[in-house]
């Protein structure tokens, strides 16, 4: 053996390279690490640590039990186990429990996300209630009643796929948790069991008084649960996902006084419509909020105005706003125009604004004056993306665009619809280059573009870091062809000199 392989740092670097894998190479990598572990004593520990670092399901651990190994790996081909192998199998004995735990201390990430985990979890009934299966676990994804066996004090990430009484163990014990994810809405329809889980979740969230820097992902909450969250200073991020569950009706007479959500920096919603989020935003304050995100199926124009009015009054210093609407049903008449940009002018620290109304029959009104005022209000903006149905010609001209660009020197990505009917800018005017813009996505509201060569010269001269104008159709192809030629010629001249 080469002496370099006796240096732990060198050996770990080599093994880490072997461990780099894609999803299509997992089995091959596992075989390589297993082979390295059996090569010599020096290789054994680092190879086994990597082999067991990330485990999916309980079967790899249960496969260490002599009695269970042929049941789990008996097929010899394809997936080494299935959900039915543990049916009618006796639980582990005390001796077999030690075999089960043989490599458990090496596990750093454990994912037990089977649709039917209980079919093998009953085998752990012999484990003492206080026993910890994986004491060095950092990340856990779990759907089983034996939650207490997988809660080491060093746990950083916990993703729960079901809610039961064991949730109290997570919210009342002291961990170094950074991310707590609770997801119980992956059901096909709202039913009694889902209602019970939501009720239990709201009840258990009220126990959350000692969580450390938690990112909380959870389904729809009622007013009582929101009130409790408002008093928890350690929660930094809340992600509400309606899924396929009906949102609770938040009645005005049921509203209770909230404490400000002092430290929440990120608030994200995934909803069907705006009926739930509007009262939440109207009756809450988020003084530390930096990010607001809304993915919504249906957004009526009147609801959009009401929601954004509430958002502008929630005392936040927002840096990122992302609103996406996916469907056009029931959005209103075809001539609906949303004048919503002025609602965002109060957020002077804004760095990212994404307004994407996919397939919407509404139009976000934007003209030269509004664009100029927005850019002068957002000096730190680096991403501005506005996309709508484009059923109305844009009121933003090239002169208005380039005038506004001068006010936002940090802008990196820009997407909007522009009026291409006239080129109201002098290509030979005094040059003020914008050197930060890299991605330019322009939709042409008037096409074909008849002045493609001149427009390419302007973009080449004024926006030197933009290689192509991205678009959803072929309207800019001729402009991009000229732009490519200009850049190729500039490179040739630079090389010749």
């Amino acid at each position: 053996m080469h002496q370099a392989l006796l240096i732990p740092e060198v050996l770990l670097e080599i093994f880490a390279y072997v461990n780099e894998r894609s999803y299509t190479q997992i089995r091959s990598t596992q075989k390589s690490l297993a082979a390295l572990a059996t090569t010599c004593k020096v290789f054994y520990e680092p190879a086994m640590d990597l082999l067991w670092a990330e485990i999916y399901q309980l079967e790899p651990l249960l496969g260490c039990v002599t009695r269970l190994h042929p049941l789990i790996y008996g097929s010899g081909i394809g997936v080494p186990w299935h959900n039915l192998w543990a049916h009618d199998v006796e639980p582990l004995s005390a001796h077999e429990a030690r075999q089960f735990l043989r490599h458990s201390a090496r596990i750093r990430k454990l994912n037990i996300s089977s649709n039917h985990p209980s079919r093998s979890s009953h085998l752990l009934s012999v484990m003492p209630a206080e026993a910890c299966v994986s004491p060095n676990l950092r990340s856990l994804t779990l759907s089983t009643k034996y939650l207490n066996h997988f809660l080491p004090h060093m746990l950083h990430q916990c993703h729960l796929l079901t809610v039961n009484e064991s949730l109290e163990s997570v919210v009342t014990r002291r961990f170094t948790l950074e991310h707590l994810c609770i997801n119980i809405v992956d059901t096909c329809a709202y039913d009694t069991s889902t209602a019970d889980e939501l009720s239990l979740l709201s009840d258990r969230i009220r126990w959350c008084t000692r969580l450390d820097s938690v990112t909380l992902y959870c389904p729809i909450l009622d007013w009582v649960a929101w009130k409790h969250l408002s008093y928890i200073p350690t929660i930094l991020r809340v992600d509400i996902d309606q899924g396929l569950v009906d949102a609770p009706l938040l009645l005005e007479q049921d509203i209770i006084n909230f404490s400000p959500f002092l430290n929440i920096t990120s608030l994200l919603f995934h909803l069907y419509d705006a009926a739930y989020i509007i009262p939440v935003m109207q009756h809450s304050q988020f003084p530390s909020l930096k990010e607001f995100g809304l993915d919504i199926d249906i957004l009526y124009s009147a609801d959009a105005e009401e929601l954004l009015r509430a958002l502008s009054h929630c005392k936040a210093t927002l840096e990122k706003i992302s609103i996406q609407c996916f469907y056009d049903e029931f959005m209103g008449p075809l001539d609906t125009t949303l004048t919503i940009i002025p609602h965002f002018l109060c957020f002077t620290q804004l760095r990212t604004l994404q307004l994407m109304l996919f397939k919407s029959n509404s139009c976000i009104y934007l003209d030269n004056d509004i664009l100029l005022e927005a850019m002068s209000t957002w000096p730190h903006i680096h991403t501005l993306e506005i996309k709508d149905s484009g059923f109305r010609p844009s009121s933003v001209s090239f002169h208005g665009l380039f005038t506004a660009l001068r006010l936002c020197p940090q802008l990196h990505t820009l997407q909007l619809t522009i009026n291409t009917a006239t080129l109201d800018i002098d290509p030979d005017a005094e040059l003020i280059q914008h050197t930060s813009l890299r991605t330019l996505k322009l939709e042409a509201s008037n096409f074909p573009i008849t002045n493609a060569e001149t427009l390419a010269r302007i973009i080449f001269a004024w926006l030197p870091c933009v290689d192509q104008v991205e678009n959803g159709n072929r309207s800019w192809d001729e402009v991009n062809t000229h732009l490519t030629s200009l850049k190729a010629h500039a490179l040739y001249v630079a090389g010749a000199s």
Side-chain angles (χ1 to χ4, degrees):
M1 182 187 300
H2 195 283
Q3 294 298 310
L5 296 178
L6 299 178
I7 303 174
E9 292 80 5
V10 174
L11 195 61
L12 289 174
E13 189 71 25
I14 295 173
F15 281 20
Y17 176 80
V18 174
N19 194 47
E20 291 180 0
R21 61 183 187 267
S22 66
Y23 286 107
T24 59
Q25 300 172 325
I26 291 178
R27 298 296 300 280
S28 176
T29 300
Q30 290 174 336
K31 290 181 179 179
S32 298
L33 292 173
L36 287 170
T38 58
T39 300
C40 64
K41 291 182 179 180
V42 175
F43 289 2
Y44 181 80
E45 290 297 332
M48 291 298 284
D49 284 344
L50 289 173
L51 183 62
W52 286 92
E54 186 172 335
I55 298 298
Y56 290 86
Q57 311 302 349
L58 285 175
E59 276 75 7
L61 287 168
L62 292 169
C64 297
V65 178
T66 304
R67 171 171 61 95
L68 303 181
H69 190 277
L71 297 176
I72 297 173
Y73 298 98
S75 63
I77 58 174
V79 178
W81 55 78
H82 52 78
N83 286 325
L84 300 177
W85 73 267
H87 184 65
D88 291 334
V89 175
E90 292 293 323
L92 301 182
S93 65
H95 171 69
E96 290 174 333
R98 288 191 290 273
Q99 293 179 336
F100 171 79
L101 295 173
R102 179 182 178 188
H103 298 296
S104 64
R106 303 180 190 273
I107 300 175
R108 298 296 184 271
K109 181 177 181 179
L110 179 61
N111 187 325
I112 309 176
S113 57
S114 168
N115 291 330
H116 304 285
S118 59
R119 291 178 178 173
S120 59
S121 61
H122 74 279
L123 299 173
L124 304 184
S125 58
V126 69
M127 302 289 291
E130 68 279 2
C132 184
V133 171
S134 302
N136 297 311
L137 200 63
R138 297 294 186 272
S139 175
L140 172 65
T141 300
L142 190 65
S143 178
T144 177
K145 66 180 181 179
Y146 293 106
L147 178 60
N148 286 333
H149 292 321
F150 300 95
L151 291 177
H153 288 287
M154 296 302 294
L155 189 66
H156 289 176
Q157 300 183 25
C158 185
H159 183 181
L160 300 180
L161 304 178
T162 57
V163 172
N164 53 43
E165 295 297 330
S166 296
L167 180 59
E168 184 177 331
S169 300
V170 178
V171 301
T172 59
R173 291 167 59 182
R174 171 67 73 172
F175 298 106
T176 55
L177 271 177
E178 296 173 356
H179 302 284
L180 171 61
C181 175
I182 302 174
N183 184 358
I184 64 171
V185 295
D186 290 337
T187 55
C188 294
Y190 185 86
D191 54 24
T192 304
S193 62
T194 305
D196 292 341
E197 286 186 321
L198 288 172
S199 176
L200 180 60
L201 174 62
S202 293
D203 178 65
R204 286 297 178 263
I205 282 182
R206 295 169 206 153
W207 291 76
C208 300
T209 57
R210 302 178 65 187
L211 292 175
D212 296 327
S213 300
V214 171
T215 297
L216 180 63
Y217 298 85
C218 60
I220 299 296
L221 301 173
D222 57 22
W223 280 131
V224 176
W226 274 110
K227 177 179 174 63
H228 183 76
L229 285 182
S230 72
Y231 285 95
I232 304 175
T234 53
I235 293 183
L236 304 182
R237 175 186 174 107
V238 175
D239 191 324
I240 302 293
D241 192 339
Q242 182 173 356
L244 298 176
V245 179
D246 291 337
L249 189 60
L250 301 181
L251 300 176
E252 290 289 328
Q253 60 266 29
D254 297 331
I255 295 174
I256 45 186
N257 292 327
F258 294 159
S259 169
F261 294 83
L262 291 178
N263 296 315
I264 288 182
T265 59
S266 181
L267 187 61
L268 307 175
F269 292 88
H270 311 267
L271 303 172
Y272 175 72
D273 59 28
Y276 179 83
I277 187 176
I278 290 176
V280 170
M281 300 306 298
Q282 286 177 333
H283 299 282
S284 307
Q285 294 181 13
F286 301 92
S288 300
L289 194 64
K290 303 298 182 184
E291 177 185 9
F292 176 82
L294 173 62
D295 288 350
I296 192 166
D297 289 347
I298 295 175
L299 185 62
Y300 298 92
S301 56
D303 287 344
E305 296 281 352
E306 191 173 4
L307 170 62
L308 296 180
R309 191 178 302 111
L311 180 64
S312 65
H313 288 88
C314 71
K315 299 184 185 264
T317 308
L318 283 168
E319 297 178 359
K320 179 178 181 179
I321 299 174
S322 176
I323 299 176
Q324 300 187 73
C325 181
F326 297 96
Y327 300 115
D328 59 358
E329 289 88 349
F330 314 114
M331 287 289 295
L334 288 176
D335 62 349
T336 299
T337 300
L338 300 175
T339 310
I340 59 177
I341 299 299
H343 289 298
F344 303 112
L345 297 180
C346 61
F347 303 117
T348 58
Q349 298 301 311
L350 201 62
R351 286 162 170 77
T352 298
L353 177 61
Q354 297 169 309
L355 303 175
M356 318 295 283
L357 302 187
F358 298 104
K359 299 181 181 179
S360 169
N361 58 13
S362 295
C363 178
I364 299 174
Y365 183 75
L366 183 65
D367 60 20
N368 289 339
D369 292 336
I370 294 178
L371 182 62
L372 184 65
E373 183 180 8
M375 291 305 194
S376 63
T377 305
W378 306 326
H380 308 294
I381 193 83
H382 63 72
T383 299
L384 176 61
E385 296 179 291
I386 301 176
K387 180 176 177 59
D388 56 23
S389 62
F391 70 85
R392 281 190 172 183
S394 174
S395 297
V396 176
S397 68
F398 285 103
H399 181 270
L401 173 62
F402 282 97
T403 301
L405 282 177
R406 298 174 182 175
L407 302 177
C408 49
Q410 300 179 40
L411 191 66
H412 180 279
T413 299
L414 176 65
Q415 177 176 3
L416 50 78
T417 302
I418 193 166
N419 190 326
T420 57
T422 58
L423 189 58
D424 58 346
I425 189 170
D426 183 0
D428 300 317
E430 183 180 354
L431 198 63
I432 301 178
Q433 288 188 330
H434 193 292
T435 57
S436 295
L437 194 65
R438 297 291 193 276
T439 302
L440 181 62
K441 306 175 186 179
L442 296 179
E443 299 290 340
S445 64
N446 308 86
F447 58 86
I449 298 175
T450 58
N451 41 23
E453 184 176 2
T454 303
L455 184 53
R457 287 199 296 116
I458 293 174
I459 294 174
F460 173 74
W462 290 40
L463 308 174
C465 296
V466 173
D467 294 324
Q468 296 278 276
V469 178
E470 300 180 19
N471 57 91
N473 51 54
R474 303 180 61 86
S475 57
W476 289 86
D477 285 359
E478 188 177 356
V479 175
N480 286 332
T481 299
H482 288 296
L483 194 56
T484 299
S485 297
L486 289 169
K487 287 186 174 291
H489 179 69
L491 287 174
Y492 173 78
V493 172
S497 61

